[in-house]
Amino acid sequence: MRSTNYNTPKLGYSIREACQASSLGRTTIYKAISTGRLRAVRVGGRTIIPAESLHTLIAGEA
């Protein structure tokens, strides 16, 4: 059975993925979370950054 790749947009990013997608370092990502400029949610044991929050930060709107 063949799987189909639909290239669906990401709803959220792990810390590592957020760093890669934004070209920001881990310290910068964590600082943005702690100051409230970047929203993060805990799902199980993982920290997930909603895509729209990361886009807002990068756009300079946060």
Side-chain angles (χ1 to χ4, degrees):
M1 179 180 251
R2 215 185 319 186
S3 68
T4 306
N5 184 2
Y6 290 107
N7 293 328
T8 56
K10 290 184 83 60
L11 297 175
Y13 296 92
S14 68
I15 297 294
R16 176 180 283 164
E17 291 172 329
C19 291
Q20 291 173 343
S22 66
S23 297
L24 297 173
R26 289 176 62 86
T27 302
T28 303
I29 293 290
Y30 279 114
K31 187 169 186 173
I33 292 169
S34 70
T35 60
R37 294 182 64 211
L38 185 62
R39 192 165 68 92
V41 294
R42 297 283 295 178
V43 178
R46 297 190 61 180
T47 301
I48 303 295
I49 299 169
E52 71 274 0
S53 183
L54 186 60
H55 292 206
T56 300
L57 178 70
I58 297 301
E61 300 169 9

